[in-house]
Amino acid sequence: MSTAQELYTTGIREHFAPALRALGLVGWRHSFSLPDDDRWAVLGVQAVHADGRVRYTVNLSVTDKAVWDRRSIRPCANTPTGLERWRAPIGEVMPVGGEVWWEVSPGPRWLVAVEDSVAAVRGYALPELRRRLRPDDRGPYLPQAALDGVNGALAIAGVARIQRAELADGVLELHGAWSRHDPAARQVLAGAARGFLSARDRRFGLVRALDTLGRPLWEFPSGNHGEAD
């Protein structure tokens, strides 16, 4: 029977890496990037070996090539450099909003973890990296720590947290793992919108809730933010 290390190596070499290249990333082994003239958009695979198993996760980073000048290889997303525009583990861009690790261990279903990690890259990591390569790359309206209070209230109500809050053309956009068919999420987010709009920030007069794929769900306008379209 193959060991976990052998299966993990096979999974990365014969399944994970080819799948990422088919999605448009370039690289090998544990480091991949999206082609771009101005920025390194990097995906790194970080593995931990223990107790006959291999656990691994994926880290993401975006670094301006101008600050990476005179360095011969791409940045490593697994090792912070302090030069990144943005860096996050994959769990932060997934609905779970926390650490996500996949485990490879000997057995007939060892490849399931690898296939699931490819799906996570395709559905969440890759769209986020591409979004951050756009010329109109927008910074967060509030850092994640500043959203802790609102996210705490959402957690009490059993509603997924706000993953990020951004300003775009006079609209405050709230992104999270919500569904249009979830009235509890709509109600709690309407309350959150009232809080944001009560600050009377002149940069926006509308709060819009979007799911993790960027699809609009509800809008909460100033002066009528108890209602949604």
Side-chain angles (χ1 to χ4, degrees):
M1 180 181 292
S2 299
T3 66
Q5 176 60 54
E6 291 170 337
L7 293 172
Y8 168 75
T9 300
T10 298
I12 294 296
R13 183 182 63 242
E14 298 183 6
H15 299 276
F16 187 88
L20 265 60
R21 295 190 193 105
L23 291 171
L25 291 110
V26 296
W28 59 93
R29 296 179 63 185
H30 300 102
S31 180
F32 302 84
S33 63
L34 276 174
D36 188 78
D37 292 336
D38 301 316
R39 297 176 184 171
W40 284 113
V42 183
L43 181 151
V45 182
Q46 177 183 353
V48 176
H49 310 260
D51 300 325
R53 302 170 298 169
V54 178
R55 299 175 66 244
Y56 69 97
T57 188
V58 170
N59 295 304
L60 312 169
S61 71
V62 176
T63 304
D64 289 336
K65 288 187 175 180
V67 303
W68 201 250
D69 191 24
R70 301 198 183 105
R71 295 170 173 86
S72 59
I73 59 174
R74 66 174 69 89
C76 176
N78 299 330
T79 306
T81 65
L83 300 175
E84 299 93 348
R85 292 178 61 92
W86 171 79
R87 182 178 182 273
I90 192 172
E92 287 194 9
V93 302
M94 294 177 65
V96 293
E99 289 192 1
V100 174
W101 291 79
W102 291 273
E103 181 177 300
V104 175
S105 57
R109 294 177 56 80
W110 69 271
L111 190 56
V112 171
V114 179
E115 293 173 338
D116 186 63
S117 65
V118 170
V121 170
R122 180 188 302 111
Y124 299 100
L126 186 56
E128 183 66 17
L129 286 175
R130 285 177 171 157
R131 187 184 71 85
R132 291 182 178 273
L133 288 178
R134 294 174 186 168
D136 61 345
D137 182 26
R138 297 165 291 184
Y141 173 67
L142 292 173
Q144 194 62 46
L147 293 172
D148 285 349
V150 176
N151 282 331
L154 292 171
I156 292 173
V159 175
R161 71 190 186 102
I162 298 171
Q163 292 186 358
R164 62 180 186 272
E166 298 174 332
L167 286 174
D169 300 325
V171 178
L172 176 59
E173 296 183 343
L174 309 178
H175 296 253
W178 309 305
S179 165
R180 183 178 291 276
H181 306 293
D182 186 348
R186 178 183 179 277
Q187 181 178 359
V188 176
L189 288 169
R194 282 195 295 273
F196 285 118
L197 290 163
S198 67
R200 301 187 182 279
D201 190 323
R202 294 184 179 181
R203 292 175 295 173
F204 66 92
L206 176 73
V207 176
R208 179 182 296 133
L210 303 93
D211 65 15
T212 53
L213 297 179
R215 296 174 297 197
L217 299 174
W218 309 289
E219 292 188 351
F220 308 102
S222 180
N224 191 29
H225 30 268
E227 298 295 329
D229 292 341

